[in-house]
Amino acid sequence: MKVVLFDIESHFTPAVMEEAMDLVRETNEYDLTQPEEGFYHFISRQPDYHVEMAFKSDGTVSAKCQCTVFKRTRQCKHALAALLMLRDHILRSRRAKSKSKHENLLLDDVLKKMTVTELRNFISTHAQSHSAFRAEILANYLHLIKKPDYHHLLLDMTPMDKFGTIKLNRNNLKTVRNIIGTLLRQAQQLLKEKALSETFQILEATLHHLYRLSIKVPQFQEQLYTELRLALRIFDTLCHQSMAPRLQHSAFVLAMDISGREGYTFLKGTKPLLLSIEPFILEEKSRLAAFQLAEKKAILDSRQQLSWASIVMRWMRLWDIRSTGKPVKAVLNRLMPDILQELSRQGDHEDVIYSLHFVQTDTYPKTILKGMLQAGLRAARQTGDRALVSRLAYQLSLSYLDTDAWDILLETDHESAQRILKVVKEYYAPATDEVADQLLLRGWSATGDKDELLGRLNAIGDMNLLIRFDDQLKTSHRTQLEDVYATHIYATREAYGGVIARQKLSNIFGHLKSIDLSAGVAEKLKLMDKKNKGGTGPQAADIRGFVFDLDGVIVDTAVHHFQSWKIILKELGADITEEDDHHTRGASRMESLEYLLTRYGIKLTHEEKEMWAAKKNEVYLEAIEQITPRDLLPGALAFLIDTRKAGLKLALGSASKNARGVLKKLAIEDRFDAILDGNDAKESKPNPEIFTKACEALQLDPAEVVVFEDAAKGVQAALAAGCHAVGLGDPMALKEADIVISGLDQSTPTLIIEQLS
Ligand code: G6P
Ligand code: MG
């Protein structure tokens, strides 16, 4: 009888095979010898039979038994059993050896000699093989049969104990990875040939298996990720082909199934399965299912919350789905800064822009909010959305004094960039905020506004800054520049005297030489020396009157003003911050509104502004409705009484049009010699108008008057009027004042006068 050794089963009926297998089991003592190349001799003792076999070069083996059945029919169970044992022997000895080149050749040889039909038969019979050798053949050829069972193959070659626990070690891991590698190469080839459904079958099994293994044997995860990465890449390429709807559906099911598993991991550098299939998730039902899965994971998968949350965000935009659950919203809100950075890193610009709508400005610290807006600005530039670029750049320059953003603004919207400089100049006095100074200097140097540039540099008084910018000024503003340097040098000499002054000024001298200003400055210094010789310093005048601001000094209504603005701006769609308080404190109602509108980029007509200002006042009046004398700030009443006792005149100088009403509620309106309120001054603080008028009303020289103020703008107004200024509150914010105290209960009129003289 003649058979293909590696495909014996296809030559005989199952009944015959079974008989032979029984005999194999019974045969426990035998000799198998190879007297010469290609020739085998099989002698069994228990039970007794004797078969000779010859291996032909075409891969077939002929067998001859001594029994009577064989003599009659040319085949018998002995011959068949001997062949089976020979095959087992060859395979075992092959397995024992490491897989040599020679063996590969042999395998190829055998395979070449098989017809496709034989091969198919072989494969279907051996699909449950446990040998790596056979598995490799299967991996190479399984796609040729009708219903290839890759799952079975993969499961089969993965060592498991009888309880189904996967038993991978270093050695068999290599085999498993080899087989998977072979399958994936096969898949790549099939994909090239556009056999999409065949490709998918391989991917389905390998992806499932790889994820299963990487979860079950985490110690080998890193190695397995190599194949997993490849599988995911092929999957993504597959999804870019035009797949039949049925195949698309299968891919959807696969992606949902795997992604939904506990322990599912996003692999760095690969596209998540759900994003690969995203283009063909078209039905509402499927979209909802995928979205809900992502939402669920965003809440539960704490390790990968960010990635899931980014997907949720993406689908909200893409599919116009609203997330309803509170926990998801909380996660999104908490992670928003990171989501934005992540989306930005991935280059999903539209998602970044979309996500920006969800940013609740008052939830995040300033620096983080700034980062988010910057991500938004990047995205807006990438998508070429000029309006958004200019809006974000505007916001960043104004609220965060971000110079880079301002540069961008200058490029896109020259007019707005100019406006920023105007606003910043107005709200930040020179040298009160280093960043604001930087923005302005850079701004004016970019727009070529030299007067402003020099003015600011002069007011800041930092010579190092001046040195940095004076190159631009030295032709157009030479004399002014010389003046500034001369004044500084003069003052330094006065303050420190010869040696120390020279030390301090040495770099300035060097610089002046290098830009050829030395001579001019020296000339100016000579003139100054002459002028000031024998002159007297300014004399401290006698203090004869006090002027008090109202809100925040005598009564704590400043909080109500701020709260009322908060409510109004909320209605206009903006969340104002503590820092805005600094800007509205002391400013008139309309001035405050104008500031807030600019700050939050809200445009209103004149009539609308009037309407909102009136509305703010309504809210404010309602808030202070219940005020009584008990609401006077600690020490305020005593301080007013002591002022009078000390023989000083008293006035009120408030920007509030409600001042008289409030004084009435506090029952102190007759304690003042003069009351000046928001109706008496056209200009808002820091303009000195209100205090100048208060001095006039008291018939005092401003130098004889001390103003008590809680707002930086108020302090500036007092000083500009020529009065002395006592700040009440934060010494940093009020650093321009002559004296800062925390409240009127912390001092007395006589103490203040002593300190000022
Ligand atoms: C005071 C407050 C400001 C307020 C201004 C005008 O100066 O500090 O916050 O805006 O008065 O108040 P009014 O009552 O006229 O709106
Ligand atoms: Mg005030």
Side-chain angles (χ1 to χ4, degrees), residues 551 561 584-589 592 616-617 620 655-658:
D551 301 305
H561 276 297
T584 49
R585 206 173 263 251
S588 74
R589 197 182 303 165
S592 303
K616 182 265 175 180
N617 200 42
Y620 174 69
S656 170
K657 292 186 174 160
N658 295 303

Side-chain angles (χ1 to χ4, degrees), residues 549-553 558 585-586 685 709-711:
D549 172 44
L550 175 65
D551 301 305
V553 171
R585 206 173 263 251
K685 300 169 186 177
E709 257 294 351
D710 68 314

Side-chain angles (χ1 to χ4, degrees), residues 94-136:
R94 252 185 215 162
R95 238 176 292 151
K97 279 190 255 152
S98 74
K99 226 172 103 189
S100 63
K101 205 170 155 204
H102 165 77
E103 193 185 359
N104 270 332
L105 286 177
L106 187 71
L107 174 60
D108 282 349
D109 228 28
V110 174
L111 287 169
K112 253 184 249 145
K113 284 174 186 123
M114 291 170 119
T115 62
V116 173
T117 328
E118 284 169 335
L119 189 62
R120 284 192 178 147
N121 283 334
F122 168 77
I123 289 166
S124 43
T125 324
H126 288 282
Q128 301 196 21
S129 162
H130 281 266
S131 123
F133 170 70
R134 289 181 202 170
E136 177 124 3

